[in-house]
Amino acid sequence: MISPMTSARRPAAGTKPKGGGGGGAGRRSAWLAADESKRWGEAFFLLYTPFWLTLCLGIIVPFKLYEGFTELEYLVVGLVCTVPVFLIPLFLVGKMFRICQPQALYDTLNPAATGAAKKADSVRSLKDRYWVKLCWMNNSFEAAWILALSYFIAYLETLAIANFPYYKFIDRDIMYKVGSLFYAIYFIISFPMFLRIDEKDEKWNLSKVAVDSLGAAMLVTILLDLWRIFLGPIVHIPESRQCGQAGLAWFPTQN
């Protein structure tokens, strides 16, 4: 996930990581994470994603190999796509070291106050107002960027399955435009949550990542359910095709 605040989080020129140098301290990227271990993981996912996309959407679906699949073949395909993503980062992690949090942007807005105390206070007050305004603008831009990227990814995935013969769209246009927004809820929540991992001085352990992931999943579920309750289906469903049972389908009601 790319953040417009990336430049503000990258180490200033000449800054050395705590705990020793080397290990790729000078290999910084505006597109990947500052933390080397997280950056390694992002690079691995970027390299592995074309493999399983090509396997599923470039081979299995276009050539309709799924028509002859049994449960075993489906299981094998699922394991091939998912197991490496879990095991490889688990056992082959990148080097980990601390990277000092930069203050370059703040320093740029911090003029030297060498005059009288009153002048220094005035400069500090002006600087604080500009800093708050800049943070608000950056946060607004970051939120808009996450929303746009989430919708773009969701739209591409919806488009990718459009020709699968076992999917039937009642209204294809609405599915692309509004259905993609519904699907984008997953990314609107998960992108910022992933962005937070290892971006501060404190390293995240496995339990903290698990709790954060479960919290993100719960928040996604709540938003999806709020959509279902207050907005309902994206297309009109005839009454004859609606579920006649009130409440949750897996909780049978008693008359």
Side-chain angles (χ1 to χ4, degrees), residues 140 189 201:
S140 299
I189 300 301
D201 289 333

Side-chain angles (χ1 to χ4, degrees), residues 131-181:
W131 176 247
V132 171
K133 183 178 180 180
L134 182 62
C135 287
W136 181 86
M137 292 176 61
N138 282 332
N139 290 337
S140 299
F141 179 80
E142 186 171 4
W145 168 239
I146 292 174
L147 178 60
L149 181 63
S150 300
Y151 185 82
F152 176 71
I153 296 297
Y155 189 92
L156 286 184
E157 291 202 32
T158 305
L159 191 63
I161 65 172
N163 294 323
F164 190 65
Y166 298 104
Y167 286 139
K168 182 179 179 181
F169 297 144
I170 298 177
D171 190 325
R172 188 174 294 268
D173 186 60
I174 292 295
M175 180 62 183
Y176 287 151
K177 295 178 180 178
V178 184
S180 296
L181 180 60

Side-chain angles (χ1 to χ4, degrees), residues 18 40 44 92 98 108 139 144-145 153 164 208 215 255:
K18 297 179 182 178
W40 183 94
F44 166 75
L92 299 177
R98 305 309 304 147
T108 303
N139 290 337
W145 168 239
I153 296 297
F164 190 65
K208 185 174 182 180
N255 297 328

Side-chain angles (χ1 to χ4, degrees), residues 16-125:
K16 295 182 179 180
K18 297 179 182 178
R27 298 191 297 272
R28 297 189 298 269
S29 171
W31 295 92
L32 299 176
D35 181 88
E36 185 170 356
S37 179
K38 183 179 179 181
R39 184 169 66 249
W40 183 94
E42 291 175 344
F44 166 75
F45 292 134
L46 287 174
L47 292 174
Y48 185 74
T49 296
F51 166 75
W52 69 264
L53 283 178
T54 302
L55 175 64
C56 295
L57 301 180
I59 299 177
I60 295 177
V61 174
F63 293 100
K64 297 185 178 182
L65 300 181
Y66 54 83
E67 296 285 1
F69 279 6
T70 64
E71 293 181 353
L72 178 60
E73 280 81 9
Y74 278 114
L75 177 62
V76 171
V77 171
L79 292 177
V80 168
C81 293
T82 57
V83 171
V85 177
F86 178 77
L87 293 182
I88 293 179
L90 186 63
F91 294 105
L92 299 177
V93 296
K95 296 180 180 179
M96 302 172 62
F97 58 88
R98 305 309 304 147
I99 296 180
C100 300
Q101 295 299 312
Q103 295 295 331
L105 184 60
Y106 185 85
D107 292 340
T108 303
L109 301 177
N110 186 20
T114 57
K118 182 177 180 180
K119 182 179 179 180
D121 291 339
S122 176
V123 171
R124 187 179 300 109
S125 177

